[in-house]
Amino acid sequence: MLTDRLPRVRLGSLPTPLHELPRLSRALGGPRLFVKRDDQTGLATGGNKTRKLEFSVAEALRRGADTLITLGAVQSNHARQTAAAAAACGLRCVLVLSGQAPQVAAGNLLLDHLLGARVVFSGGRTREEVAGEVVAAQTAEGHRPYLIPVGASDEVGAAGFVAALEELKGQLDELRLRIDRVVFASSSFGTQAGLCVAAKELGFEPQLAGIAIDSTRAELQAAVAGIAARLAARIGLDDSVTPEEVVGYDAYVGGGYAVLGPPEREAIELAARHEGILLDPVYTGRAMAGLIDLIRRREIGAGETILFWHTGGTPALFAYGEELLGSPRNR
Ligand SMILES: *Cc1c(COP(=O)(O)O)cnc(C)c1O
């Protein structure tokens, strides 16, 4: 494996399942659809950050850290998986989350607390500034903190998606299944960077189509290529990807990060009601909404075979009850 020489701790239940979505495919009158179930990685309700944290936490341990610090949105799946990874490895955990503490700790934030993380809100300041202070304060208290960036999307964490593409390729080979594209949510870009680096090295030909959650296509391409270059160097590969080679769709950012709109609501309902699969309001709901639109506009042909990479996020559903169902009067 390409990542064999990197330190890694096992946190996830891997490989995750891969299966077909025949009823959703029929409902859309569209291509054959398959799903890669990274909502089933197993770490305190799972998600794509589990794969990255296997490498980030190993690096923290290699450096002798006793405390994981990371940052994110209030409903950050990455923060919740980091809290779970810390618990599983006997490390302390401090999470720096945006804004003010909400009235009720729901969804991922509830789990952060249950998992024993200390939660600090950034208030009116940037998360990065507050995280810097937390690192300094933890050090002054005699702890050895390791700071994991947003989404674990550096060259350390992104290695998780190099291993993930190798896992997928093995499953496809075993099933003798040929796919045309892989479609997934792209936000802090480590997932896409890892997939791109592995695809280039392995000659994996399906298109890797990132649906931008909160960026322009140009931002996505530049950021993915940047992480990919550092990741390729870390693994010892000569070749990385150029921004032009990175595929991103930016027509689906809607009202902005974490704002649930009609397309996300429709995508969540379709996946739930046709396949019994729970998407999330922030990432996979938006990525599936993008896939549905690309199918309806025939940019993705009915004869294609598509793999949707379900990157997790299920707990955030429980913080979006009103937005998903409307006020109780309407139910
Ligand atoms: C973080 C996250 C993503 C995006 O992955 P990046 O590596 O940040 O681009 C997608 N889906 C879910 C559920 C996530 O939590």
Side-chain angles (χ1 to χ4, degrees):
M1 297 226 344
L2 293 169
T3 53
D4 275 349
R5 295 215 310 277
L6 299 177
R8 179 176 187 177
V9 292
R10 295 290 166 169
L11 296 169
S13 309
L14 305 178
T16 55
L18 185 166
H19 62 83
E20 192 161 8
L21 302 174
R23 301 191 72 253
L24 181 59
S25 175
R26 222 172 302 133
L28 295 171
R32 258 187 113 180
L33 295 177
F34 287 81
V35 63
K36 177 74 171 147
R37 297 294 300 273
D38 274 15
D39 57 323
Q40 308 281 319
T41 57
L43 188 64
T45 72
N48 64 336
K49 305 312 182 301
T50 301
R51 293 186 184 273
K52 301 179 184 184
L53 288 165
E54 290 197 339
F55 292 89
S56 305
V57 173
E59 181 63 18
L61 292 171
R62 193 183 69 78
R63 295 185 187 203
D66 63 5
T67 304
L68 300 180
I69 299 176
T70 199
L71 49 170
V74 177
Q75 281 303 323
S76 169
N77 301 299
H78 162 66
R80 179 255 311 162
Q81 284 164 90
T82 301
C89 295
L91 300 168
R92 303 166 68 256
C93 183
V94 186
L95 303 174
V96 178
L97 306 182
S98 311
Q100 315 288 341
Q103 292 278 320
V104 183
N108 281 298
L109 182 58
L110 167 65
L111 302 186
D112 295 342
H113 289 297
L114 290 179
L115 292 162
R118 218 184 101 201
V119 179
V120 176
F121 285 90
S122 67
R125 299 191 296 151
T126 69
R127 298 184 298 229
E128 285 71 16
E129 186 185 348
V130 175
E133 284 178 13
V134 169
V135 169
Q138 289 289 315
T139 307
E141 285 174 27
H143 299 296
R144 293 186 302 281
Y146 179 80
L147 180 65
I148 301 174
V150 172
S153 281
D154 56 2
E155 62 274 25
V156 180
F161 271 87
V162 173
L165 191 93
E166 294 188 279
E167 178 184 304
L168 172 66
K169 190 168 179 299
Q171 289 176 314
L172 294 174
D173 289 349
E174 200 165 298
L175 294 168
R176 297 177 189 278
L177 181 64
R178 281 184 49 108
I179 59 172
D180 297 292
R181 313 179 203 231
V182 181
V183 177
F184 51 90
S186 195
S187 178
S188 68
F189 313 117
T191 297
Q192 191 160 6
L195 294 176
C196 285
V197 165
K200 185 115 193 186
E201 182 63 17
L202 301 173
F204 182 84
E205 283 176 353
Q207 183 190 61
L208 301 173
I211 305 292
I213 297 305
D214 51 354
S215 68
T216 65
R217 178 163 170 269
E219 286 165 350
L220 178 150
Q221 290 176 311
V224 170
I227 299 167
R230 293 188 291 279
L231 172 62
R234 179 172 159 86
I235 299 178
L237 306 175
D238 300 326
D239 223 9
S240 183
V241 289
T242 63
E244 299 73 42
E245 289 175 300
V246 175
V247 179
Y249 291 92
D250 64 2
Y252 308 110
V253 296
Y257 182 79
V259 179
L260 182 87
E264 290 85 16
R265 195 176 297 119
E266 185 199 14
I268 289 168
E269 287 188 3
L270 280 172
R273 294 173 187 193
H274 290 284
E275 297 286 354
I277 286 183
L278 300 174
L279 302 176
D280 82 283
V282 181
Y283 298 97
T284 53
R286 182 161 291 176
M288 181 61 83
L291 173 57
I292 291 169
D293 182 69
L294 292 169
I295 292 169
R296 286 181 178 154
R297 290 196 297 106
R298 303 197 189 284
E299 186 154 337
I300 292 179
E304 291 192 33
T305 302
I306 306 297
L307 182 122
F308 180 77
W309 205 305
H310 191 327
T311 45
T314 313
L317 284 172
F318 301 106
Y320 278 78
E322 291 266 305
E323 287 93 328
L324 286 163
L325 295 183
S327 74
R329 270 188 312 278
N330 304 332
R331 267 168 233 164

